[in-house]
Amino acid sequence: MEFTCNGIVRMGYGFYNPNHAAALICALLPFLWEWFLQTRRKIWKITAILLNLLLLTALVFTFSRTGIIVVILEAFLFAALKHKIHWKWIAIFAIVMLSLLCISGLWMRFRLDGAVLNRPKIWWAGLQLFAVNPLGVGSGNSGKLATAFLLPEGVQCRTLVNSHLTLLVEYGMIAGLFWFTALFYALSHGIRKTASFCALAGLAVSAASASVFDWGILFDFQNHGELPLLNFLLSWSLFLFYIGLLVCCSIGKFHWKKSVAVAGGVCLLLLLLLFLQTPETPRIRKQFIVKEGSPFTALFYDSSWSLREIRPYLQGGWLLPLDSGIPPESSGKTAIERIYLFGEMCSFATHVSGIPLYFICPPDYIELPDNLKGVYLSQWSDNDFLKERLRVNKISIMNLPTESGDTTICNEN
């Protein structure tokens, strides 16, 4: 997959996502600035300047808006902490950045587009998911659930476009408590280590606006997220670099009072987030999404259906597997009042007895059990053989519901 901007391919330098490359470049630059200030030999200062120009140029050609914002914030923070940086170096940095932005055309990306406007919607959806599921929704499920139940039509995401929030939502409050406590303690403790502090702060900001730490890829040791091995290795290098920055900024005399204050503040913040619950937010129980209500319906679907496509069928109370292909007998709930089977899952009807069944787009030659009460078909379907069998058996044929859940009954028997 290639990321492009105005027809120009954005450079990822081995990362599948250019934003991840930009985050690494931004985290490396403060160490070059520190090296430039500390070294006294002219040859090393020239080397540091050249490496700075090289990395800034590489950063610009990732076409990452977050990367540009982060490197500017890092530069201001670095200058503020150092106090004695001559104004001319700040002016030179500003001139170089403006020149690179103009030459590359990156300045044209700084406008409000879908990528910018959709991020707050996705983050808000993530906070709602956490509020209802404080123990986590499971690895890789945050974007799927947000897309299916909480985001407007046309907005889709695989993660929550925020590594911190994705970790909190998918792995729960305990993981989030350790993660945020470690980060805030390191930032509060390591401010005197200017380069490490600026790099850590920049990397934390980068991770807050993109999936810089992509948990689904990092912990997929077998398939590497179905991406090249180089991306997997670079992703782990970036993550280990972040852990190293945390350790570096935290090294020194351990302050119990500060650590307790930070942990308490994080815990309070996470508890406050629990008040963001909304009725439409799905609740996860093991491998199922559950909403209490009546009548209580269990729905099972094959891989040709997405959660969003199933949403119009969710009326009253319901139980829905997180993943396709899970058979009805795995639900384990005895209070199910009716079952909907989608596509090839209709073949599991023989495993269900005594509960009213409904088929949605079943195969033409599917067996019609005695407890089948209705079949949903597309109004444009031409499977006349199935329709005739349904009419002979006096089984209702209904059109597929709209997004609002409305259905049309073609024949009521």
Side-chain angles (χ1 to χ4, degrees):
M1 179 174 62
E2 289 185 343
F3 290 76
T4 60
C5 174
N6 297 325
I8 301 174
V9 176
R10 296 174 58 189
M11 301 301 295
Y13 309 109
F15 287 95
Y16 87 96
N17 190 325
N19 293 322
H20 302 180
L24 178 57
I25 293 170
C26 290
L28 292 173
L29 280 166
F31 293 97
L32 284 179
W33 301 337
E34 183 72 36
W35 183 32
F36 173 80
L37 292 179
Q38 295 299 327
T39 186
R40 295 186 178 182
R41 296 186 62 180
K42 188 174 182 179
I43 183 64
W44 295 127
K45 283 189 176 293
I46 294 174
T47 302
I49 290 173
L50 292 176
L51 287 175
N52 267 281
L53 287 173
L54 178 64
L55 286 184
L56 286 174
T57 303
L59 173 63
V60 166
F61 283 99
T62 64
F63 283 85
S64 171
R65 289 173 290 195
T66 299
I68 297 301
I69 293 171
V70 167
V71 78
I72 292 173
L73 292 176
E74 285 181 348
F76 276 109
L77 183 59
F78 189 88
L81 293 175
K82 283 299 183 182
H83 303 296
K84 296 180 181 179
I85 296 180
H86 199 282
W87 65 268
K88 70 177 182 180
W89 293 115
I90 298 176
I92 290 172
F93 175 82
I95 292 171
V96 169
M97 286 304 303
L98 287 173
S99 299
L100 289 172
L101 289 175
C102 291
I103 292 171
S104 66
L106 177 55
W107 63 274
M108 296 179 63
R109 288 205 73 207
F110 285 87
R111 64 181 186 273
L112 293 177
D113 56 16
V116 175
L117 296 176
N118 288 335
R119 272 177 166 81
K121 299 174 186 177
I122 294 171
W123 297 338
W124 175 244
L127 293 174
Q128 291 174 285
L129 282 172
F130 172 72
V132 174
N133 303 278
L135 297 181
V137 300
S139 179
N141 292 326
S142 58
K144 180 196 304 185
L145 292 169
T147 299
F149 297 99
L150 301 173
L151 292 175
E153 186 72 34
V155 180
Q156 298 185 18
C157 59
R158 184 179 59 84
T159 69
L160 298 175
V161 202
N162 181 318
S163 296
H164 310 296
L165 184 58
T166 300
L167 179 137
L168 176 65
V169 172
E170 293 189 355
Y171 299 98
M173 180 178 287
I174 302 301
L177 178 62
F178 280 103
W179 178 265
F180 288 111
T181 299
L183 173 60
F184 293 137
Y185 179 81
L187 289 174
S188 65
H189 190 268
I191 195 168
R192 295 178 181 273
K193 303 169 184 178
T194 308
S196 297
F197 178 82
C198 292
L200 177 60
L203 198 46
V205 172
S206 296
S209 63
S211 299
V212 171
F213 307 124
D214 199 322
W215 310 112
I217 293 175
L218 282 173
F219 299 111
D220 184 2
F221 293 99
Q222 184 173 0
N223 298 315
H224 314 139
E226 298 182 357
L227 293 168
L229 176 61
L230 179 58
N231 173 78
F232 181 74
L233 296 175
L234 287 172
S235 296
W236 264 102
S237 299
L238 180 59
F239 180 59
L240 292 176
F241 185 30
Y242 176 81
I243 299 299
L245 291 173
L246 285 176
V247 172
C248 181
C249 288
S250 301
I251 285 177
K253 184 179 179 181
F254 185 73
H255 297 277
W256 282 103
K257 291 183 179 180
K258 183 186 293 185
S259 63
V260 171
V262 170
V266 171
C267 189
L268 177 61
L269 176 61
L270 296 181
L271 290 175
L272 290 175
L273 292 179
L274 299 181
F275 289 95
L276 299 178
Q277 296 186 19
T278 56
E280 66 271 17
T281 305
R283 188 180 302 274
I284 308 303
R285 293 181 184 171
K286 296 183 179 179
Q287 58 182 338
F288 293 95
I289 313 166
V290 180
K291 181 180 178 182
E292 298 298 336
S294 182
F296 195 86
T297 307
L299 306 95
F300 302 90
Y301 58 101
D302 62 25
S303 59
S304 64
W305 291 80
S306 68
L307 292 177
R308 191 171 194 119
E309 291 171 324
I310 294 172
R311 194 168 64 177
Y313 301 86
L314 304 178
Q315 306 294 327
W318 43 268
L319 177 145
L320 177 66
L322 270 167
D323 299 306
S324 62
I326 296 178
E329 57 265 28
S330 63
S331 63
K333 189 174 179 70
T334 57
I336 296 173
E337 298 175 57
R338 61 186 182 185
I339 294 178
Y340 283 20
L341 298 176
F342 293 74
E344 296 296 333
M345 295 303 292
C346 295
S347 61
F348 285 90
T350 55
H351 298 259
V352 179
S353 60
I355 301 176
L357 286 178
Y358 291 84
F359 287 172
I360 295 88
C361 298
D364 288 353
Y365 297 92
I366 192 71
E367 181 180 345
L368 304 178
D370 295 336
N371 55 336
L372 181 62
K373 301 301 181 182
V375 175
Y376 289 86
L377 297 174
S378 170
Q379 57 182 317
W380 298 286
S381 65
D382 57 358
N383 43 0
D384 296 331
F385 177 71
L386 176 59
K387 290 180 179 179
E388 182 60 30
R389 293 173 62 208
L390 294 173
R391 291 189 185 99
V392 169
N393 287 274
K394 297 182 179 181
I395 297 172
S396 297
I397 302 174
M398 294 163 283
N399 289 331
L400 298 181
T402 62
E403 183 69 19
S404 62
D406 297 331
T407 63
T408 302
I409 299 178
C410 298
N411 69 300
E412 185 72 56
N413 295 305

